[in-house]
Amino acid sequence: MEKQKYKVATKLAFSRFVSTKETVGDARVWSCCGENYTEIICMQRHASRHHSTEINHLKHKIILHGKRIGLQSETCGEASLIPLTHLSHDDVFPWLPEAIEEDVGNIDEPGRILLFYKYCHVSNTEHVRNWQLELGRRLNITGKIRIATEGLNGTVGGSIAATNIYMEAVMKHPFFLGLTRDDFKTSTGQSLHFSCGLKVGIFAEIVPIGISSTCVSHEEAGPHLSVEEFHEAVSDIMTDEKKQKTAVLLDCRNFYESRIGQFKGALAPDIRKFSYFPEYVDKNLDYFKDKSVYMYCTGGIRCERGSAYLKSKGVCKDVFQLHGGIHKYLQKYPDGYFRGKLFVFDDRYAIEFNEDVISDCSYCGTPCDQYQPCSSQHCHQLVLSCSACRLKDLTACCATCQKNENDGTPMEECRCTSSRKRIPLENQPNIETRVSDQSSNTDEHDIIQHNGSFN
């Protein structure tokens, strides 16, 4: 065991040394001893030949920290050096770099928002929570992270330098070694876009569908289609009348997300929470019978469990899912079949890839896709209100909130949500009907509330 720990510590020390030489930027470049390396293998050779002393020093530091804190035995060698729960501000590992010094308060500096998830076995959720909190503190990262024994799901923001280091740290953690750079969806943003700071929680599921993974596992999900394959499938559905009768393009998101942006011809369920999705499927099995279903969501995570649940019913001909979600699709096809804005779970509320506006102001009906918080102090909902209506102080989700008649107690759901039908029943419209109705499937004063799905 001791020999294995020294071997693992050497590997981790070498990996960390190389990672510290990577420069900030879109292209991967390592800089050391006055030379730049564009291939990691070249940087590794240089480190092996000229920096054995520094790597050995780091190796002993890793081993010392592991012995001081207490080690946990895992099947993976690297995991044997994971501290059980406690992490001090002085601990340094390949997956926990030293704190960086930078001015994160300058809003003119470019930043980035990350969206990611990983299904894998996490044997120590408390350790992962403490690690993410300490990692966020050192890198000035903010955001929302869900941890469960089934994996990790998060969206975080920070500077370009901080998010680069954050991605490398997460990919080096023994629990999440399968993550790659391609698994992180990125967009322009900053840590300031998460007014909540950094929230890290331990939950039963990393995406709240409300069904135990022992009953319906992500491992039973529908096959992934690449962005290119999904684009071709949508194109076929849009142009082939026969396929329009045998295929369904299914939006797995909530109504407030699809309201401001969706794929042309998609079926966008009028549901408020992803945890309603299983009930929605159960009540609409006839709609999906013998059809090929093409599912999509923001970043892919909801389709993992959603496609598995739909497949488990045994009524569909096929069930496919878009790999990387809308986020990856829009990076490849910004002017493709997805029109409108992509809803995101931070204070930006939406990101724009094309100029289409497919939703309307809740008050006057003019085109509007800019969500803003309800003006009532007790309400956590968002509302679509155009600039003209906002000048008239029409800024609330309903009449009660507009008059501030509540006693001030924060509410998860506003009273106006009680008028909504919880689970809609789908008829059999053709694809042209769904396109024409894509912005009119919500009540006049529909509102939204953030929940635990980021992807």
Side-chain angles (χ1 to χ4, degrees), residues 83-97:
L84 288 170
T85 53
H86 176 71
L87 287 169
S88 77
H89 292 345
D90 298 323
D91 290 329
V92 176
F93 296 95
W95 39 267
L96 188 60

Side-chain angles (χ1 to χ4, degrees), residues 18-197:
V18 171
S19 69
T20 62
K21 301 303 178 181
E22 186 172 4
T23 61
V24 176
D26 293 330
R28 302 198 70 184
V29 177
W30 294 262
S31 181
C32 189
C33 299
E35 297 289 336
N36 290 329
Y37 303 92
T38 57
E39 295 183 7
I40 191 170
I41 187 66
C42 297
M43 178 61 219
Q44 290 170 338
R45 287 173 184 158
H46 171 80
S48 179
R49 292 170 181 170
H50 302 287
H51 296 282
S52 58
T53 301
E54 296 100 309
I55 293 170
N56 268 330
H57 176 75
L58 182 56
K59 176 185 70 175
H60 291 299
K61 188 175 181 181
I62 290 173
I63 293 171
L64 203 64
H65 276 298
K67 287 181 177 178
R68 178 172 59 80
I69 297 169
L71 305 178
Q72 123 181 349
S73 178
E74 296 283 349
T75 55
C76 175
E78 288 90 338
S80 66
L81 291 168
I82 296 177
L84 288 170
T85 53
H86 176 71
L87 287 169
S88 77
H89 292 345
D90 298 323
D91 290 329
V92 176
F93 296 95
W95 39 267
L96 188 60
E98 295 175 346
I100 62 174
E101 295 181 6
E102 60 178 1
D103 181 11
V104 297
N106 187 355
I107 61 174
D108 294 326
E109 289 294 320
R112 182 161 53 192
I113 303 292
L114 306 177
L115 184 69
F116 64 98
Y117 71 92
K118 176 64 177 177
Y119 274 107
C120 60
H121 177 62
V122 176
S123 60
N124 192 335
T125 54
E126 186 69 18
H127 156 75
V128 175
R129 184 183 72 86
N130 293 340
W131 162 58
Q132 281 292 308
L133 287 170
E134 179 61 20
L135 187 59
R137 185 193 70 80
R138 296 186 188 189
L139 301 180
N140 297 304
I141 291 285
T142 60
K144 307 170 187 177
I145 297 170
R146 292 178 67 96
I147 303 162
T149 56
E150 66 178 7
L152 179 71
N153 175 23
T155 177
V156 299
S159 69
I160 297 294
T163 52
N164 271 335
I165 297 172
Y166 178 87
M167 286 188 285
E168 290 297 326
V170 174
M171 289 188 292
K172 285 184 172 70
H173 194 285
F175 286 157
F176 310 109
L177 292 177
L179 270 174
T180 67
R181 282 262 183 166
D182 191 57
D183 292 319
F184 291 87
K185 277 72 72 174
T186 64
S187 57
T188 301
Q190 297 173 322
S191 59
L192 298 176
H193 286 131
F194 292 95
S195 55
C196 62

Side-chain angles (χ1 to χ4, degrees), residues 270-272 276 417-425 443:
D270 194 16
I271 56 176
R272 198 179 72 83
Y276 294 175
T417 63
S418 61
S419 62
R420 293 186 55 80
K421 191 173 182 179
R422 177 186 167 95
I423 305 296
L425 296 178
D443 297 333

Side-chain angles (χ1 to χ4, degrees), residues 46 73-74 106 121 128 258 266-267 283 292 313 327 346 353 363 370 374 393 395 424 433 449:
H46 171 80
S73 178
E74 296 283 349
N106 187 355
H121 177 62
V128 175
S258 59
L267 171 64
K283 291 187 176 181
S292 294
K313 296 301 171 179
H327 216 299
D346 57 62
F353 289 86
Y363 286 94
Q370 297 285 341
C374 176
D393 290 329
T395 55
T433 302
Q449 189 240 345

